[in-house]
Amino acid sequence: MKTLLSQFCEEFEAAVRPLLAPLKDFVETLVAGSETHLGAGVSREVLPGFQDVSHQLRVLADKVAEQQAYVLIFGPLKSGKSTLMNAIGAAYVSEVTALPAYPCMVYVSHSDTREFVVTRYNGDEQSFAAPASMRMQVNRDHAELADRIRAEENRGTDFDPALHFPDAIRRIDVRVPAAALAESGAVLVDTPGLYSRMKFGYDQMTREFRDTAACAIFVVKTDNLFLEQVFAEFQSLLSLFSRIFLVVNVDTNKMDLRPDGSLAPSLEREDPVRVIEAFETLSMSAQLKQAVEEQRLKIYPVDLLRAASSRLQHELAGENSGPADEYAGRADFEAFLGDLTDYLNSTDYLVAFLGDSLRHGSNLIGRARELSGHEVVADVARRVTALAGERDDLQDTLAALDRLTRFDWKDAFSDLPAHLASHADGEGAGLWKRSLRAVSNAIDGWFEGDKSVAALMREDLGEVVGAFQTNFATLAEGGLKERAHNSTAGALIDERAARDLDTVGMRLGDFASSGLVAVLPATHARGLEIELDLEQLPVRRSLLDWILFRRVASVRQRLIGPLAKPDRSISRGDKARRLGEAGREWLHVAIHGRVDGAYNEVSKRVAADMASEYSNAVIAAVVAQIEANRASTAERLDRVQTQLGELEALADRLQTLRSRLDDASGAMEQLEERYDEADPAALTLELDEAQVADEMAAVELSTIELEPVPRIMPEAPAEASAEIELEAESAHSSDRHPDGSNADQR
């Protein structure tokens, strides 16, 4: 049957349900981002709020879609709330235990199969088919929760599970076969004990159900009825709910001790109504008394244990529940249940159901819109722009590094040897002349000792040439330092390479020291290969040589040793007798001729070696830095692209969410306009389907915004307007039939 109430539920579902998926996607993206690039600000500032709104909107949508009546049950720990739930549901819907309950909301509803679902603050869900496995998990969670609470207490902070322990249990859904709940559509909501040290559960409840339910049950044992602190929080319940049922849990088995030592039925057993009367007369506050007078609060003495036992037994036996025993009239559960059922079926409740649903939905949507405009969330767009710019810069840097990797760095230093040789050439030539004089002195000195020809070439002349190379390298080093101290460390690079170096933040001059350290002038002193045609070395033959017919070549070899290795020591006398001035002159001419022509060879080699050592060291440092920069830049680019992708996805989801929020907000405003003044008596009346369709079409049309028609003609003066109206009237009359009927109707 289509009623105004069911129509409202469908329209509410159409307004809210499309919001749940984008909200869930956005929350999941926030969760992922808060652990990486978004940081603790998101986790602290907005994530708990979005998770809370997402959870509450889903609960509200399910509630309205299934037209569920939430019956909230409050009371101190161990007051009988679980027993009351068993009695109302006429089924074993909640285990009664002596252990303190976990501080979360417990939703009990009908289902064909038993199922237990644990939902955490971070949105994760865990299902259990058996209550034992669920209890084991909850007990473990309870111990961990207590540890977390104590830790925050030690830090001096107020514990908030959404911030400090997102894995904490937020609600437990208990779905069991319960015909009584199926018939009424009621969902029993067990709330945490008001005096639990884990009071955040109660605070969470008041936030969630401020606009969600109009009906609450407060359970208290008679032993606690007269304790003022039991009702310390009751005033807030009166402000939350338009109807409260106060169930006083009496014990009809209770006995009192007589003076003679015998036991007699207590007043609580004999006449529990008198206990209530005493409470109303002696202990009830002015606020509670006013609520009773306004019929917003009704008080029922009930033996919940007997009531639950009776209803469970009758349900299992397939019988209608009735008075459990002789005490039923005095502790009447059926009277309470009848009043509760009447209220849930009343137009007052239906009006409250519509009003609370609209108000709660609008509040949640408004809160979500406020959160979506939070500075932390709004900062996403700026960070996307900043990261996109950083990504582009990193890509440009990586491209520049790739080009620098392919750059011919050796060619950039190709002119350096000539530059060093040229820089040292002036002083080097004079240095060489001095070296030639040193060569002459070395030859003359050789005749004064017993060294071999090989020693002359290797030691005496090598020392002279080596000293020249060291001195020449020192001269060249000055030119190298002068060249190295420019911005490019002595390299010749084109404009593109210069731009690339600037892009990657590298300055070649910073690498000059690496090259200069590698250059040591003393290491460039090398032996000079002087090839002499020793067959032309003049040697005198002695008389004996003549007598023995020794050839000059044989005498020469006997004197200096093999021509390929003239390492035979020659005494000073033999040098004078065998070589004489002719030999001395020949050595001067031959050696000077060879050494004098080696200047260019030696100077170029020294300059080339120095340039090679320097450039190789600089190039190695530059290439190593380029490779290091490439690796770090690629890593940064990958990280930035990952963050940018996540932030862009977050931005897209945020845009979608904001669009859906705008749609939902507009739809809620239309629902409020249509149902705000709905006749309560008409909520359960059957609607004509065609009428419903017409009304829906009218609503859709009313949401279409027409563009204003532009003015074509200028505004006419009054006389012209009158003429136009007359002409129009004349034209309109001309379209009429003489009998007065319209031409179109003909």
Side-chain angles (χ1 to χ4, degrees), residues 375-401:
E375 60 181 0
V376 173
V377 179
D379 192 49
V380 170
R382 184 195 63 79
R383 296 189 64 182
V384 166
T385 302
L387 281 174
E390 186 177 355
R391 176 204 57 196
D392 295 342
D393 291 343
L394 289 172
Q395 289 176 337
D396 291 343
T397 300
L398 202 57
L401 288 168

mmCIF file of all heavy atoms in Angstrom, residues 375-401:
data_model
loop_
_atom_site.group_PDB
_atom_site.id
_atom_site.type_symbol
_atom_site.label_atom_id
_atom_site.label_comp_id
_atom_site.label_asym_id
_atom_site.label_seq_id
_atom_site.Cartn_x
_atom_site.Cartn_y
_atom_site.Cartn_z
ATOM 1 N N GLU A 375 39.615 24.368 5.834
ATOM 2 C CA GLU A 375 40.843 24.852 5.217
ATOM 3 C C GLU A 375 41.789 23.713 4.855
ATOM 4 O O GLU A 375 42.524 23.804 3.863
ATOM 5 C CB GLU A 375 41.539 25.840 6.148
ATOM 6 C CG GLU A 375 41.923 25.270 7.514
ATOM 7 C CD GLU A 375 42.582 26.307 8.394
ATOM 8 O OE1 GLU A 375 42.735 27.448 7.920
ATOM 9 O OE2 GLU A 375 42.933 25.976 9.535
ATOM 10 N N VAL A 376 41.780 22.639 5.640
ATOM 11 C CA VAL A 376 42.641 21.498 5.319
ATOM 12 C C VAL A 376 42.204 20.856 4.013
ATOM 13 O O VAL A 376 43.028 20.460 3.183
ATOM 14 C CB VAL A 376 42.607 20.464 6.465
ATOM 15 C CG1 VAL A 376 43.346 19.204 6.069
ATOM 16 C CG2 VAL A 376 43.213 21.055 7.725
ATOM 17 N N VAL A 377 40.888 20.756 3.801
ATOM 18 C CA VAL A 377 40.375 20.163 2.569
ATOM 19 C C VAL A 377 40.520 21.150 1.413
ATOM 20 O O VAL A 377 40.893 20.780 0.293
ATOM 21 C CB VAL A 377 38.894 19.758 2.744
ATOM 22 C CG1 VAL A 377 38.350 19.166 1.457
ATOM 23 C CG2 VAL A 377 38.760 18.755 3.885
ATOM 24 N N ALA A 378 40.200 22.429 1.683
ATOM 25 C CA ALA A 378 40.318 23.434 0.627
ATOM 26 C C ALA A 378 41.757 23.567 0.147
ATOM 27 O O ALA A 378 42.010 23.986 -0.990
ATOM 28 C CB ALA A 378 39.799 24.773 1.140
ATOM 29 N N ASP A 379 42.699 23.214 1.012
ATOM 30 C CA ASP A 379 44.110 23.307 0.658
ATOM 31 C C ASP A 379 44.506 22.274 -0.398
ATOM 32 O O ASP A 379 45.582 22.376 -0.992
ATOM 33 C CB ASP A 379 44.961 23.103 1.921
ATOM 34 C CG ASP A 379 46.422 23.480 1.703
ATOM 35 O OD1 ASP A 379 46.673 24.572 1.177
ATOM 36 O OD2 ASP A 379 47.293 22.673 2.048
ATOM 37 N N VAL A 380 43.633 21.304 -0.639
ATOM 38 C CA VAL A 380 43.939 20.262 -1.627
ATOM 39 C C VAL A 380 44.167 20.873 -2.998
ATOM 40 O O VAL A 380 45.116 20.512 -3.713
ATOM 41 C CB VAL A 380 42.807 19.213 -1.672
ATOM 42 C CG1 VAL A 380 42.994 18.275 -2.858
ATOM 43 C CG2 VAL A 380 42.783 18.417 -0.382
ATOM 44 N N ALA A 381 43.297 21.815 -3.405
ATOM 45 C CA ALA A 381 43.428 22.423 -4.731
ATOM 46 C C ALA A 381 44.765 23.146 -4.867
ATOM 47 O O ALA A 381 45.451 23.042 -5.898
ATOM 48 C CB ALA A 381 42.271 23.390 -4.977
ATOM 49 N N ARG A 382 45.158 23.873 -3.816
ATOM 50 C CA ARG A 382 46.444 24.571 -3.868
ATOM 51 C C ARG A 382 47.602 23.576 -3.949
ATOM 52 O O ARG A 382 48.561 23.783 -4.706
ATOM 53 C CB ARG A 382 46.604 25.442 -2.625
ATOM 54 C CG ARG A 382 47.879 26.291 -2.633
ATOM 55 C CD ARG A 382 48.178 26.855 -1.266
ATOM 56 N NE ARG A 382 48.439 25.809 -0.295
ATOM 57 C CZ ARG A 382 49.609 25.157 -0.205
ATOM 58 N NH1 ARG A 382 50.584 25.439 -1.043
ATOM 59 N NH2 ARG A 382 49.771 24.218 0.704
ATOM 60 N N ARG A 383 47.489 22.490 -3.219
ATOM 61 C CA ARG A 383 48.559 21.497 -3.239
ATOM 62 C C ARG A 383 48.618 20.771 -4.569
ATOM 63 O O ARG A 383 49.697 20.410 -5.026
ATOM 64 C CB ARG A 383 48.356 20.506 -2.090
ATOM 65 C CG ARG A 383 48.475 21.158 -0.720
ATOM 66 C CD ARG A 383 48.492 20.136 0.386
ATOM 67 N NE ARG A 383 49.672 19.278 0.299
ATOM 68 C CZ ARG A 383 49.921 18.279 1.124
ATOM 69 N NH1 ARG A 383 49.073 18.009 2.093
ATOM 70 N NH2 ARG A 383 51.002 17.539 0.994
ATOM 71 N N VAL A 384 47.467 20.572 -5.199
ATOM 72 C CA VAL A 384 47.471 19.967 -6.533
ATOM 73 C C VAL A 384 48.221 20.870 -7.507
ATOM 74 O O VAL A 384 49.065 20.418 -8.292
ATOM 75 C CB VAL A 384 46.026 19.719 -7.021
ATOM 76 C CG1 VAL A 384 46.010 19.416 -8.522
ATOM 77 C CG2 VAL A 384 45.401 18.560 -6.257
ATOM 78 N N THR A 385 47.929 22.188 -7.452
ATOM 79 C CA THR A 385 48.614 23.136 -8.328
ATOM 80 C C THR A 385 50.112 23.153 -8.035
ATOM 81 O O THR A 385 50.943 23.138 -8.959
ATOM 82 C CB THR A 385 48.026 24.544 -8.141
ATOM 83 O OG1 THR A 385 46.626 24.519 -8.430
ATOM 84 C CG2 THR A 385 48.707 25.546 -9.055
ATOM 85 N N ALA A 386 50.458 23.191 -6.750
ATOM 86 C CA ALA A 386 51.871 23.222 -6.377
ATOM 87 C C ALA A 386 52.590 21.942 -6.814
ATOM 88 O O ALA A 386 53.702 21.995 -7.353
ATOM 89 C CB ALA A 386 52.005 23.421 -4.868
ATOM 90 N N LEU A 387 51.957 20.790 -6.593
ATOM 91 C CA LEU A 387 52.574 19.522 -6.983
ATOM 92 C C LEU A 387 52.676 19.388 -8.495
ATOM 93 O O LEU A 387 53.640 18.822 -9.010
ATOM 94 C CB LEU A 387 51.789 18.351 -6.396
ATOM 95 C CG LEU A 387 52.047 18.037 -4.921
ATOM 96 C CD1 LEU A 387 51.105 16.953 -4.436
ATOM 97 C CD2 LEU A 387 53.485 17.606 -4.701
ATOM 98 N N ALA A 388 51.672 19.894 -9.215
ATOM 99 C CA ALA A 388 51.737 19.849 -10.678
ATOM 100 C C ALA A 388 52.921 20.674 -11.166
ATOM 101 O O ALA A 388 53.656 20.262 -12.087
ATOM 102 C CB ALA A 388 50.438 20.362 -11.278
ATOM 103 N N GLY A 389 53.123 21.853 -10.554
ATOM 104 C CA GLY A 389 54.286 22.657 -10.913
ATOM 105 C C GLY A 389 55.585 21.967 -10.562
ATOM 106 O O GLY A 389 56.549 21.990 -11.347
ATOM 107 N N GLU A 390 55.624 21.341 -9.393
ATOM 108 C CA GLU A 390 56.826 20.611 -8.991
ATOM 109 C C GLU A 390 57.088 19.438 -9.921
ATOM 110 O O GLU A 390 58.241 19.165 -10.283
ATOM 111 C CB GLU A 390 56.676 20.119 -7.556
ATOM 112 C CG GLU A 390 57.931 19.463 -7.002
ATOM 113 C CD GLU A 390 57.785 19.042 -5.554
ATOM 114 O OE1 GLU A 390 56.728 19.349 -4.949
ATOM 115 O OE2 GLU A 390 58.716 18.398 -5.017
ATOM 116 N N ARG A 391 56.017 18.750 -10.320
ATOM 117 C CA ARG A 391 56.182 17.637 -11.272
ATOM 118 C C ARG A 391 56.774 18.137 -12.582
ATOM 119 O O ARG A 391 57.704 17.526 -13.134
ATOM 120 C CB ARG A 391 54.832 16.980 -11.527
ATOM 121 C CG ARG A 391 54.871 15.866 -12.580
ATOM 122 C CD ARG A 391 53.502 15.673 -13.189
ATOM 123 N NE ARG A 391 52.997 16.896 -13.780
ATOM 124 C CZ ARG A 391 51.724 17.094 -14.106
ATOM 125 N NH1 ARG A 391 50.834 16.155 -13.890
ATOM 126 N NH2 ARG A 391 51.347 18.242 -14.651
ATOM 127 N N ASP A 392 56.246 19.250 -13.112
ATOM 128 C CA ASP A 392 56.764 19.792 -14.372
ATOM 129 C C ASP A 392 58.230 20.175 -14.232
ATOM 130 O O ASP A 392 59.045 19.914 -15.139
ATOM 131 C CB ASP A 392 55.935 21.005 -14.797
ATOM 132 C CG ASP A 392 54.493 20.630 -15.139
ATOM 133 O OD1 ASP A 392 54.238 19.435 -15.368
ATOM 134 O OD2 ASP A 392 53.644 21.542 -15.162
ATOM 135 N N ASP A 393 58.584 20.807 -13.101
ATOM 136 C CA ASP A 393 59.981 21.187 -12.882
ATOM 137 C C ASP A 393 60.878 19.955 -12.815
ATOM 138 O O ASP A 393 61.986 19.949 -13.383
ATOM 139 C CB ASP A 393 60.104 21.989 -11.588
ATOM 140 C CG ASP A 393 59.456 23.365 -11.691
ATOM 141 O OD1 ASP A 393 59.207 23.816 -12.828
ATOM 142 O OD2 ASP A 393 59.179 23.972 -10.639
ATOM 143 N N LEU A 394 60.417 18.925 -12.143
ATOM 144 C CA LEU A 394 61.218 17.701 -12.032
ATOM 145 C C LEU A 394 61.362 17.012 -13.385
ATOM 146 O O LEU A 394 62.420 16.460 -13.702
ATOM 147 C CB LEU A 394 60.578 16.755 -11.019
ATOM 148 C CG LEU A 394 60.679 17.184 -9.547
ATOM 149 C CD1 LEU A 394 59.847 16.268 -8.665
ATOM 150 C CD2 LEU A 394 62.131 17.187 -9.085
ATOM 151 N N GLN A 395 60.310 17.044 -14.176
ATOM 152 C CA GLN A 395 60.400 16.463 -15.525
ATOM 153 C C GLN A 395 61.396 17.238 -16.379
ATOM 154 O O GLN A 395 62.178 16.644 -17.127
ATOM 155 C CB GLN A 395 59.018 16.437 -16.170
ATOM 156 C CG GLN A 395 58.074 15.409 -15.565
ATOM 157 C CD GLN A 395 56.689 15.463 -16.161
ATOM 158 O OE1 GLN A 395 56.266 16.486 -16.705
ATOM 159 N NE2 GLN A 395 55.943 14.377 -16.054
ATOM 160 N N ASP A 396 61.363 18.574 -16.272
ATOM 161 C CA ASP A 396 62.343 19.391 -17.006
ATOM 162 C C ASP A 396 63.755 19.087 -16.509
ATOM 163 O O ASP A 396 64.698 18.988 -17.314
ATOM 164 C CB ASP A 396 62.036 20.876 -16.814
ATOM 165 C CG ASP A 396 60.747 21.297 -17.510
ATOM 166 O OD1 ASP A 396 60.279 20.549 -18.384
ATOM 167 O OD2 ASP A 396 60.214 22.374 -17.163
ATOM 168 N N THR A 397 63.899 18.944 -15.201
ATOM 169 C CA THR A 397 65.209 18.632 -14.643
ATOM 170 C C THR A 397 65.705 17.279 -15.123
ATOM 171 O O THR A 397 66.878 17.128 -15.499
ATOM 172 C CB THR A 397 65.137 18.639 -13.104
ATOM 173 O OG1 THR A 397 64.737 19.930 -12.652
ATOM 174 C CG2 THR A 397 66.475 18.282 -12.489
ATOM 175 N N LEU A 398 64.819 16.300 -15.137
ATOM 176 C CA LEU A 398 65.214 14.963 -15.588
ATOM 177 C C LEU A 398 65.594 14.973 -17.061
ATOM 178 O O LEU A 398 66.571 14.318 -17.465
ATOM 179 C CB LEU A 398 64.063 13.985 -15.340
ATOM 180 C CG LEU A 398 64.430 12.501 -15.244
ATOM 181 C CD1 LEU A 398 65.460 12.269 -14.148
ATOM 182 C CD2 LEU A 398 63.189 11.662 -14.976
ATOM 183 N N ALA A 399 64.865 15.726 -17.884
ATOM 184 C CA ALA A 399 65.205 15.835 -19.308
ATOM 185 C C ALA A 399 66.566 16.508 -19.474
ATOM 186 O O ALA A 399 67.387 16.095 -20.315
ATOM 187 C CB ALA A 399 64.120 16.608 -20.045
ATOM 188 N N ALA A 400 66.829 17.564 -18.692
ATOM 189 C CA ALA A 400 68.123 18.240 -18.761
ATOM 190 C C ALA A 400 69.245 17.305 -18.328
ATOM 191 O O ALA A 400 70.332 17.290 -18.930
ATOM 192 C CB ALA A 400 68.098 19.489 -17.885
ATOM 193 N N LEU A 401 69.020 16.522 -17.293
ATOM 194 C CA LEU A 401 70.029 15.555 -16.844
ATOM 195 C C LEU A 401 70.300 14.501 -17.905
ATOM 196 O O LEU A 401 71.454 14.075 -18.085
ATOM 197 C CB LEU A 401 69.568 14.898 -15.540
ATOM 198 C CG LEU A 401 69.612 15.792 -14.288
ATOM 199 C CD1 LEU A 401 68.859 15.144 -13.140
ATOM 200 C CD2 LEU A 401 71.059 16.074 -13.878
#
